[in-house]
Amino acid sequence: AHPFIPGLVKEAYIAGSWHSAGTPELIRSEVVNGTVVDFQWRAVGSAVYSVTAKGEIQQVDTDSNGTPLFDTNSFRVVCSCPDGDRQQLESRSSNELYVCKHGKAALDSVLDATASAKIKANKEAAVAEARLKAEDRKKYLIEQRQLQYREMPGEMERIHYGLSKRSDEDIAKLVKKAAMTMDGLKALTKIFPEEVMPPKQTIRCGRCDQEYDPQIPSDRVCREEHPEDKCKMMWDGSKKSWEHCRRCGKDFRLDGFHSWGKRKRDDPEDEGPYCYETVHVPMEDYDEDNDPIMQNLDDSDY
């Protein structure tokens, strides 16, 4: 039987490169206790590289679309090619498994067909369920529209017109003003029930020490900008420049690269204004010594 990694599906990793590579030669495929693996490949490119995959595929959840979510700390893929280090850095900073073209080709060759089929079935079931919900929602809205026309003729058009003529800021002011009266507050609690606007429930993030409300999706983002005292301006000739952050190793704020011809193979890529951008971790659950994101940052003073 062809070797495979138990539980491995394409949703477990992300191709960090647009380029592709041929299937590398599998030279080791050890599986312990049915789940823990130690695989190695020999990949041939501009040189000969080693690709290893070690650990265990652990699915921790499934999103509303039926797509599985994985523990990115339980399974690791390393390639000795020049792009391999960059993909490891991206993995640590994003909490997702990024692989180079050789790593992708290697993993593509040892997928778990049974697990893949199960995920496909789950996605199809999720799509079918979403379609039924959408049809029910459509029927409900048609009924509501008819009821509005009968009992409140012209009011929907009036409200839509008024909203289209006011800015988001003006609308927010009107809502807050309405909340100052009893009738207005009663009306707003019907428009914004607790499942839409839950009560404030802030906690502190152990990584960045900021308060956040885990109930608010936009509030969950944990990120830190590159510190100015650890950034240095870099130059390629007199027309191309960028900044390099010594703390996280990322390049950003590129200037001149699109104006002066085709990009070179070793040109930097703009990796954004943040040393890391992930999700907050509650203070009581945070373990800095085992946080791969913080371990990857250089906070020394040299």
Side-chain angles (χ1 to χ4, degrees):
H2 181 73
F4 67 92
I5 293 179
L8 179 64
V9 293
K10 288 192 174 182
E11 291 80 0
Y13 53 95
I14 300 172
S17 170
W18 290 102
H19 301 290
S20 60
T23 302
E25 176 189 1
L26 182 62
I27 59 178
R28 185 174 67 246
S29 55
E30 299 176 2
V31 181
V32 179
N33 296 328
T35 57
V36 181
V37 303
D38 184 357
F39 277 47
Q40 183 177 5
W41 295 262
R42 179 178 179 272
V44 179
S46 55
V48 177
Y49 305 114
S50 171
V51 181
T52 59
K54 297 182 180 182
E56 179 180 8
I57 300 294
Q58 294 183 1
Q59 182 179 338
V60 295
D61 204 354
T62 303
D63 67 15
S64 59
N65 298 317
T67 301
L69 304 175
F70 297 91
D71 178 359
T72 57
N73 295 317
S74 65
F75 183 70
R76 187 181 183 197
V77 179
V78 177
C79 181
S80 62
C81 78
D83 190 43
D85 289 340
R86 188 173 72 85
Q87 300 306 333
Q88 287 190 63
L89 176 63
E90 184 66 27
S91 297
R92 288 192 291 267
S93 62
S94 67
N95 251 2
E96 295 184 280
L97 179 57
Y98 279 81
V99 294
C100 66
K101 63 181 181 180
H102 305 110
K104 179 183 183 302
L107 295 181
D108 286 349
S109 69
V110 290
L111 295 171
D112 185 334
T114 301
S116 298
K118 183 178 180 180
I119 288 172
K120 181 180 179 181
N122 289 342
K123 286 185 175 181
E124 291 174 349
V127 169
E129 183 180 358
R131 187 182 296 115
L132 289 175
K133 288 183 178 179
E135 291 174 356
D136 291 342
R137 176 68 176 172
K138 183 177 180 180
K139 292 178 183 178
Y140 171 75
L141 290 178
I142 290 174
E143 293 171 355
Q144 289 295 304
R145 180 72 59 85
Q146 293 171 344
L147 187 62
Q148 288 173 345
Y149 282 141
R150 286 199 307 268
E151 300 192 9
M152 302 179 69
E155 286 299 282
M156 183 178 66
E157 290 78 6
R158 179 180 69 83
I159 295 299
H160 280 188
Y161 175 76
L163 291 174
S164 70
K165 293 297 182 180
R166 293 180 179 272
S167 66
D168 292 346
E169 183 179 356
D170 286 341
I171 294 171
K173 288 180 180 178
L174 289 172
V175 169
K176 291 179 180 179
K177 183 177 180 181
M180 297 173 68
T181 67
M182 180 60 74
D183 288 342
L185 184 59
K186 286 181 177 180
L188 288 174
T189 57
K190 292 181 179 180
I191 299 172
F192 304 117
E194 282 198 9
E195 58 266 28
V196 176
M197 284 192 177
K200 181 180 179 181
Q201 187 180 338
T202 58
I203 56 180
R204 189 167 294 279
C205 174
R207 180 185 298 112
C208 69
D209 200 39
Q210 297 295 314
E211 282 196 346
Y212 70 101
D213 191 331
Q215 306 169 105
I216 311 299
S218 60
D219 222 24
R220 299 174 189 162
V221 180
C222 178
R223 59 193 178 194
E224 187 174 357
E225 292 186 351
H226 302 298
E228 290 188 9
D229 62 337
K230 294 185 182 295
C231 295
K232 180 180 180 181
M233 182 70 75
M234 312 293 287
W235 290 89
D236 180 359
S238 60
K239 297 176 179 177
K240 296 180 180 181
S241 67
W242 67 97
E243 289 197 47
H244 177 76
C245 177
R246 179 173 59 79
R247 185 180 186 229
C248 65
K250 291 182 179 180
D251 297 316
F252 65 105
R253 210 172 287 161
L254 275 63
D255 183 46
F257 285 89
H258 299 290
S259 304
W260 300 100
K262 187 177 179 180
R263 290 177 57 87
K264 296 184 296 185
R265 179 185 294 271
D266 57 349
D267 278 347
E269 295 186 12
D270 195 326
E271 298 176 275
Y274 306 108
C275 281
Y276 60 84
E277 187 170 16
T278 180
V279 294
H280 288 300
V281 182
M283 182 73 75
E284 60 269 22
D285 298 333
Y286 185 62
D287 181 2
E288 184 174 3
D289 292 336
N290 291 305
D291 183 353
I293 292 176
M294 299 307 292
Q295 289 178 356
N296 190 58
L297 301 180
D298 181 2
D299 286 314
S300 59
D301 294 327
Y302 64 84

